[in-house]
Amino acid sequence: GTSSNITFVPDSFTLSTSKTTFSVNEPFTLTITAKNSAGTTTANYKGASTLSINYVTPSTSQSGSLSTSTLTGSSWSSGVYTLSSFTYNKFGSITITCKDPTTTSKSGTSSQLTFLPKELSVEPTSPSGGRDFYYQDEDIAATVTAKDYNGNTISNYVSSVGFSGSNLSLPSNYSFTSSDSGAHIF
């Protein structure tokens, strides 16, 4: 007699990167390895697996997106899938889970990855009255903006900023809120 179809899937996946802290939208390499129950690479795996985001901080959904969320079967090489120039587009900490679509209980999760601004830009406002200078002791307003790897505003930035300098009256430390949308005027 002949059995019905028997499907073999990996027992787990490992997900690895060369570091764990990145700028928002900074390209990096994510390597996924399909493993059998003995922990050995499943060299012939060619499944169309999926990647999903698990939010750590902030713990609620940030509507973030990965540059790739579906792994095509033909791109696996000896049980390893390498995503070069992989990106994530929001501020915060996440883990990434890889699952086989036929048996979703077979999965693997990355270590915690943190995504921060590449820079905080400070742009003073123009002086009033069409001047190109400020008077001594005149208040100066400035916008502080959290910027990603590409220089774009990070709309979900919610962290604290502090100011330093000499001979200046500076604002107190400030914690960005979601209503700031990544930019705040001081």
Side-chain angles (χ1 to χ4, degrees):
T2 302
S3 72
S4 58
N5 285 339
I6 300 173
T7 302
F8 293 92
V9 297
D11 186 61
S12 65
F13 296 91
T14 59
L15 290 82
S16 61
T17 61
S18 61
K19 59 183 187 172
T20 57
T21 302
F22 308 90
S23 295
V24 174
N25 280 321
E26 175 184 356
F28 64 97
T29 299
L30 177 67
T31 304
I32 301 106
T33 305
K35 302 278 183 134
N36 64 23
S37 61
T40 306
T41 301
T42 307
N44 63 339
Y45 181 68
K46 297 283 185 188
S49 302
T50 59
L51 298 177
S52 61
I53 301 166
N54 312 298
Y55 297 99
V56 177
T57 306
S59 60
T60 57
S61 175
Q62 298 299 305
S63 299
S65 62
L66 304 169
S67 56
T68 301
S69 59
T70 303
L71 309 180
T72 59
S74 61
S75 294
W76 288 89
S77 176
S78 301
V80 177
Y81 201 113
T82 302
L83 291 163
S84 300
S85 299
F86 190 71
T87 60
Y88 176 65
N89 69 340
K90 294 291 181 179
F91 165 80
S93 296
I94 63 169
T95 59
I96 301 171
T97 298
C98 180
K99 291 183 180 181
D100 179 87
T102 56
T103 311
T104 57
S105 64
K106 302 301 182 183
S107 64
T109 301
S110 71
S111 59
Q112 183 173 304
L113 306 175
T114 301
F115 297 86
L116 303 170
K118 181 177 181 184
E119 67 180 356
L120 293 170
S121 71
V122 179
E123 293 290 327
T125 58
S126 298
S128 61
R131 295 178 278 135
D132 61 355
F133 61 89
Y134 286 95
Y135 292 110
Q136 183 175 349
D137 295 326
E138 181 179 5
D139 286 340
I140 301 171
T143 302
V144 175
T145 306
K147 302 274 183 130
D148 72 4
Y149 186 81
N150 300 313
N152 299 312
T153 301
I154 302 169
S155 63
N156 78 318
Y157 181 70
V158 288
S159 192
S160 297
V161 295
F163 300 89
S164 63
S166 58
N167 301 320
L168 297 170
S169 175
L170 297 169
S172 301
N173 291 355
Y174 179 77
S175 293
F176 276 68
T177 65
S178 58
S179 63
D180 287 318
S181 298
H184 186 80
I185 298 174
F186 295 88

